[in-house]
Amino acid sequence: MPTSAQEVSDTTKQAAGWFDSHWQDWLAGGVRIVFIIVLALVLRAVVRKLITQLITRMTRPNDDDDEPTRLGGLLANTGVVNPERRQQRSEAIGSVLRSVASFTILGTAALMVLAALGVNLAPLLASAGVAGVAIGFGARNLVTDFLSGVFMIMEDQYGVGDEIDTGVATGTVLEVGLRVTKLRGAGGEIWYIRNGEVKRIANMSQGWSTASVDVQVGYKEDLVRVEALIQETAETLAKEAPFDELIWAPVSILGVESVAADSVVLRVEARTAPGKSLTVARALRQRLKAAFDLSGIKVKEEVAPAAGAAGAAAGTAAMVVATTAADAAPPSALADPTSPRYLATAPIPAPVKPADDAGAKSP
């Protein structure tokens, strides 16, 4: 601390000189920091706006059939997904891209502000690199799940409401996240599946499904008549609501699938809306059963046994039954007196003593 007026005056002059020599640097640094922050915010807003417009353009289906564009309809998948599914997918992709853009722009701006303040970034970047490597090794599963989720959404492998088979679980998709996919199984259970663990996916709700029906008829039935009846029944079903929207192509009869001693099986297929194959197959079986009943078509031939063999078998069975009943029943007083069983129950007669020859003689 200064102890005299001269020392106070000298210290004040030194402070004023130091301020005069550095205020320009401070002002320039402050202006540079403000400019960096404003530029980062403006760039972030512009990039987010461009991403939103790009996603909207990619989602919109291509209306110009003569000159298709590169971006138009890229995410639309015309004929595969509905507008709600398309909107949900575009929002998910746009959210991911906007988050990545904001993180990149604001992170770079923060590093530039620190550099403008005179902070040495070399140790900070080195520490961040080492920490990034350590976190990358420790959280590699998390990174794998995140990247897998991003590609699943961008490639539209499945969406909410789809019926999928992931290998480890099968069910309806309830939620698609960047790390976990939530499914509801057939029994009502909920599956949480990490996106990085999914090796294969079977989506039963995209494109179209196939309803396959095996029709069994008797061996002696006229197959030409049966095929005509099946075709007529299927066409009638396809014209009725709601099956007129579920059946997308005419029902085709592939032909004889198998032949047995008493029946013939025909294979029938129909292209249906996604996830509606079982509904169409059940309805077609019901209609075919009713049509066969009206037309008198048998589903199986009844093989009658030979008359002689049947008579012999019946006689043998009657004899066995009679013998069994006779053996099990006790003898009756009203039975035939000459039957062996009746005679066997007769009392044993007393033995007769022979007469004495000497006593029998007269004196």
Side-chain angles (χ1 to χ4, degrees), residues 192-277:
Y192 294 89
I193 303 175
R194 290 169 44 196
N195 295 330
E197 297 295 329
V198 178
K199 304 301 180 183
R200 63 175 180 86
I201 298 174
N203 194 329
M204 284 79 77
S205 301
Q206 284 189 359
W208 46 269
S209 300
T210 300
S212 181
V213 177
D214 289 337
V215 182
Q216 178 179 335
V217 296
Y219 183 84
K220 296 182 180 180
E221 297 292 340
D222 186 3
L223 296 184
V224 176
R225 175 170 173 262
V226 172
E227 291 181 358
L229 182 60
I230 293 174
Q231 194 70 36
E232 180 183 357
T233 304
E235 292 177 356
T236 304
L237 177 66
K239 295 178 182 178
E240 299 178 0
F243 301 101
D244 54 350
E245 297 181 357
L246 300 182
I247 301 177
W248 288 6
V251 177
S252 59
I253 303 175
L254 302 184
V256 178
E257 185 68 16
S258 62
V259 178
D262 56 354
S263 63
V264 178
V265 177
L266 302 177
R267 175 64 58 89
V268 181
E269 287 188 355
R271 180 173 296 185
T272 66
K276 300 299 181 181
S277 59

Side-chain angles (χ1 to χ4, degrees), residues 331 336-347:
D336 186 5
T338 61
S339 64
R341 186 178 295 277
Y342 186 89
L343 295 177
T345 59

Side-chain angles (χ1 to χ4, degrees), residues 283-308:
L284 184 58
R285 292 190 187 96
Q286 181 180 2
R287 297 297 180 87
L288 290 177
K289 195 268 181 185
F292 286 173
D293 291 342
L294 292 177
S295 301
I297 296 178
K298 299 180 180 179
V299 298
K300 190 175 182 180
E301 294 293 340
E302 297 179 359
V303 180

Side-chain angles (χ1 to χ4, degrees), residues 12 14 86 104 111 129 133 198 229 240 260 280 286 289 300 329:
T12 303
Q14 291 176 0
R86 191 182 308 157
T104 303
L111 294 178
V133 172
V198 178
L229 182 60
E240 299 178 0
V280 174
Q286 181 180 2
K289 195 268 181 185
K300 190 175 182 180

Side-chain angles (χ1 to χ4, degrees), residues 61-72:
N62 186 23
D63 297 332
D64 190 3
D65 297 335
D66 298 333
E67 187 66 25
T69 59
R70 294 183 179 180
L71 297 179

